[in-house]
Amino acid sequence: MDSQLTVYITLVTISGVLNLLLTLYVYMNRSLYGNIATMFILGTMAKMIYCFAYAFSLTSSTLEQLRFWSVMQYVGMPYAPPLGLLFILSYLGYRLTKWRIAALLVIPTFSLLSNATNGWHHLYYKTYTINEALGPPYNYIEVGPLYIVHGAFTFVCFISSLFLLALRMKDTDSSNHPQLIALILAHLIPMGTSFSYLIGITPPGIDPVPMVLGFSSLFIWWAIVSSRLLTIVPIAKETIFNSIKDGVIVFDIRNRMVEYNHGCQSMFNKLDRSLLGQPLDKVWPDLFGGSAPVPDLSVESQELEVVSNEPNERIYQVRISPLKRSANSPRDGSVMIITDITELKRMQLRLEHHAYYDELTDVFNRRAFFDRCEDTFASAVQQNIPFTVILFDIDEFKKVNDTHGHAAGDRVLIHVSQLCKANLADNMLFARYGGEEFVLALFGKTAEEGETFAEHLRQQIEAQPVMVDGQWINVTSSFGIAELTDNPEESLMQLLHSADEALYAAKRGGRNRVCIYGKC
Ligand code: GH3
Ligand code: MG
Ligand code: MG
């Protein structure tokens, strides 16, 4: 064996060992690398097989041995470029579907089979013999049409990988460039070398590619160790994607669901991986039930509140944004961010309720009365429509508290509020004004009509005592009424003041009666 051949074999073996170490390294740390590790491991394994089989082929002394090791090389070699492309695709965040993977592996498998059966058809190599001038293990080949298919496919894979990396380089921060440059070099080196081999500028009878695959692996290794190539970007993306508590769903340009995160899975138990690839209008009812209208994803950005009744009523905030590679490029898909706002909404409702309703009687409080009454009062003034207020106060309520206890007093307050609520008509506003005093605003009613209503209420309160702890408590109340006058300056407060004076007159007059302001 001449010394040049020994050097070749040593270099190719080193290349094979480097790929073996790299395969083992990534395999042992695969949990760190997420789903991109698989393609990477398969790619380096393919290169490793290629290198070792080539090293063995360089020890061949017969044509049969050369042929055998050539076929062995093909168990790895044709697969390395498409697996490299699949690795780049997953590294850059593209989804690898079963079909994409299978499509890329068809031609390599065809190359392997046609090389193995070349003796029958000679379509892969027109000639494959021992190089007469150099002797074994150097070969002499004349390529056939199927070899050209294999070569072209290999270059398409290389060029596609380089193209994708270059595109990404344009869009990423310069701190990520060393990773991408390392990957570009790792592809350029074998591509350049095989090109030189094909145009015949490398030493005859020798395939130089396995030797340089070691360098290419070294670049990737350096990138992994120095810039944590495999880990940092995709893992960070995956971690962020899955750590978001909100549901995140990604749709492609044709509005088919392509990915969703763990947050989404825990929000909707009907969601499962079999729905991936389904269009939005099929997925939407599984998430939110049939009644919520399906949004249009092509609209720029939108925010919706969606009420779902399945299985229990829940309220979601759904934010939809277009996905674009850069601000000016067209939409590539959409992302939907779903937040369960049921608790927030309930809390908001509770707070609103606390702010506007009296805790004991659950009727409007004083603030709600003024908030709601100001507008009706103003429109009554403006449109010259009758407007009457009634203030009423439970008589000798202190005695109820003193005789039966504070809790019994509370029961009386609740009873009186409910009686009044039951008699309310449209255009009447009723609120607890404070203590044992209540207020009514009657839109479109005169003082006389108010008097009729108040008299009816007074009689009901008097006629319906309250049963507390087995004892009947008799309750009466006094009413003061005031109607809006022609005076354009009169305020709601002044009107209430007049009603209060009327109420005071009713108390002075002996209680359990109704008084109209200025008429008692
Ligand atoms: P009058 O006929 O003149 O209205 O006599 P009164 O005893 O009803 O009037 P007064 O204003 O002297 O007493 C009102 C009482 O109402 C005093 C207060 O302790 C009681 N009160 C106020 N708010 C509540 C409440 O939420 N629950 C109970 N149980 N009592 C209350
Ligand atoms: Mg009172
Ligand atoms: Mg009072």
Side-chain angles (χ1 to χ4, degrees):
M1 197 181 280
D2 61 39
S3 60
Q4 200 181 359
L5 189 59
T6 317
V7 172
Y8 286 154
I9 294 175
T10 312
L11 285 175
V12 173
T13 310
I14 290 173
S15 224
V17 170
L18 279 174
N19 278 305
L20 171 67
L21 292 176
L22 195 53
T23 306
L24 290 174
Y25 178 82
V26 176
Y27 179 75
M28 273 155 29
N29 294 293
R30 65 192 181 283
S31 61
L32 287 177
Y33 302 138
N35 54 14
I36 63 170
T38 316
M39 285 303 146
F40 185 82
I41 290 169
L42 291 174
T44 43
M45 270 172 68
K47 287 191 232 166
M48 181 189 75
I49 293 169
Y50 178 22
C51 291
F52 285 132
Y54 191 59
F56 279 111
S57 99
L58 291 178
T59 63
S60 309
S61 52
T62 63
L63 182 61
E64 285 65 40
Q65 286 172 358
L66 264 181
R67 284 292 305 132
F68 173 76
W69 289 115
S70 163
V71 174
M72 285 299 111
Q73 285 171 59
Y74 269 70
V75 174
M77 187 255 275
Y79 292 97
L83 286 169
L85 175 59
L86 287 167
F87 162 69
I88 296 293
L89 284 170
S90 62
Y91 169 69
L92 297 179
Y94 294 90
R95 245 179 71 75
L96 299 185
T97 58
K98 265 189 265 171
W99 290 112
R100 274 185 202 174
I101 297 173
L104 278 173
L105 299 182
V106 168
I107 292 185
T109 307
F110 186 64
S111 300
L112 166 63
L113 296 176
S114 48
N115 183 6
T117 56
N118 192 57
W120 300 332
H121 49 70
H122 298 283
L123 288 171
Y124 200 80
Y125 297 115
K126 278 193 220 154
T127 314
Y128 189 104
T129 57
I130 287 173
N131 188 314
E132 272 179 31
L134 299 169
Y138 301 104
N139 60 8
Y140 172 76
I141 56 168
E142 277 175 26
V143 300
L146 295 183
Y147 186 98
I148 292 169
V149 172
H150 153 73
F153 179 71
T154 302
F155 276 94
V156 166
C157 288
F158 276 135
I159 303 259
S160 310
S161 304
L162 287 170
F163 179 71
L164 289 171
L165 287 167
L167 263 188
R168 181 54 58 97
M169 190 116 145
K170 215 173 53 133
D171 292 343
T172 44
D173 184 80
S174 58
S175 62
N176 290 322
H177 285 179
Q179 304 177 6
L180 295 167
I181 291 171
L183 279 178
I184 288 175
L185 285 175
H187 282 80
L188 268 182
I189 292 172
M191 187 176 115
T193 314
S194 42
F195 188 68
S196 322
Y197 175 54
L198 284 179
I199 60 170
I201 57 170
T202 53
I206 282 288
D207 177 0
V209 178
M211 279 172 254
V212 299
L213 285 181
F215 290 106
S216 142
S217 302
L218 272 180
F219 271 109
I220 303 179
W221 198 318
W222 167 81
I224 289 178
V225 182
S226 68
S227 55
R228 310 199 58 199
L229 168 71
L230 288 177
T231 53
I232 225 118
V233 179
I235 300 296
K237 277 187 196 158
E238 206 168 297
T239 311
I240 294 166
F241 188 62
N242 282 321
S243 65
I244 299 171
K245 290 225 169 60
D246 289 338
V248 183
I249 309 182
V250 182
F251 292 91
D252 68 8
I253 183 71
R254 288 166 61 191
N255 301 340
R256 290 172 310 196
M257 178 165 77
V258 287
E259 194 50 289
Y260 59 80
N261 70 343
H262 292 171
C264 208
Q265 177 73 80
S266 45
M267 246 178 218
F268 306 105
N269 46 20
K270 276 196 184 167
L271 199 61
D272 74 67
R273 311 276 321 157
S274 68
L275 289 172
L276 288 176
Q278 295 291 333
L280 170 69
D281 42 2
K282 273 202 146 177
V283 178
W284 183 266
D286 278 335
L287 305 181
F288 302 109
S291 54
V294 183
D296 178 2
L297 294 185
S298 64
V299 174
E300 271 294 291
S301 290
Q302 48 185 317
E303 195 171 311
L304 321 162
E305 207 168 282
V306 181
V307 181
S308 155
N309 290 316
E310 291 181 10
N312 308 311
E313 185 178 289
R314 296 211 75 80
I315 307 163
Y316 299 95
Q317 181 196 54
V318 178
R319 283 167 290 160
I320 300 169
S321 317
L323 282 177
K324 297 173 173 185
R325 271 163 209 271
S326 66
N328 298 324
S329 46
R331 186 174 77 98
D332 281 321
S334 303
V335 64
M336 185 181 279
I337 302 175
I338 306 159
T339 314
D340 187 337
I341 54 167
T342 315
E343 288 314 314
L344 198 77
K345 279 274 160 189
R346 282 189 190 144
M347 177 110 79
Q348 200 177 332
L349 285 176
R350 274 202 295 273
L351 286 175
E352 270 173 24
H353 199 87
H354 277 306
Y356 287 109
Y357 287 82
D358 173 56
E359 215 174 325
L360 177 70
T361 57
D362 205 33
V363 299
F364 281 138
N365 61 19
R366 193 186 175 103
R367 179 202 297 185
F369 175 79
F370 281 109
D371 269 9
R372 281 163 174 73
C373 204
E374 289 289 1
D375 286 349
T376 12
F377 177 78
S379 59
V381 172
Q382 240 176 18
Q383 298 167 42
N384 212 13
I385 293 170
F387 187 89
T388 296
V389 293
I390 304 174
L391 273 179
F392 73 92
D393 182 292
I394 301 174
D395 297 330
E396 316 223 287
F397 187 62
K398 210 162 172 300
K399 269 194 203 155
V400 175
N401 273 340
D402 293 346
T403 319
H404 303 278
H406 204 267
D410 283 353
R411 293 282 300 278
V412 170
L413 286 170
I414 295 167
H415 167 78
V416 169
S417 320
Q418 282 172 350
L419 260 185
C420 187
K421 240 163 100 174
N423 284 282
L424 285 184
D426 287 345
N427 289 345
M428 286 189 189
L429 184 65
F430 170 55
R432 185 174 177 194
Y433 203 58
E436 24 70 273
E437 205 167 319
F438 297 88
V439 64
L440 284 148
L442 282 61
F443 185 78
K445 298 258 187 275
T446 61
E448 285 67 33
E449 287 168 318
E451 185 184 26
T452 313
F453 177 78
E455 184 52 34
H456 174 70
L457 195 56
R458 186 196 66 74
Q459 286 174 19
Q460 287 221 346
I461 293 171
E462 186 180 22
Q464 298 184 35
V466 192
M467 166 75 86
V468 181
D469 297 333
Q471 270 192 300
W472 288 107
I473 303 175
N474 289 306
V475 188
T476 62
S477 46
S478 305
F479 295 73
I481 300 173
E483 185 186 344
L484 182 62
T485 60
D486 305 339
N487 177 6
E489 299 296 308
E490 192 171 21
S491 67
L492 178 62
M493 276 320 285
Q494 281 166 333
L495 190 62
L496 284 163
H497 187 73
S498 306
D500 194 39
E501 274 189 32
L503 170 60
Y504 189 62
K507 292 275 183 191
R508 261 192 330 223
R511 296 185 170 79
N512 194 19
R513 65 193 57 218
V514 178
C515 264
I516 298 179
Y517 175 66
K519 293 193 180 165
C520 279

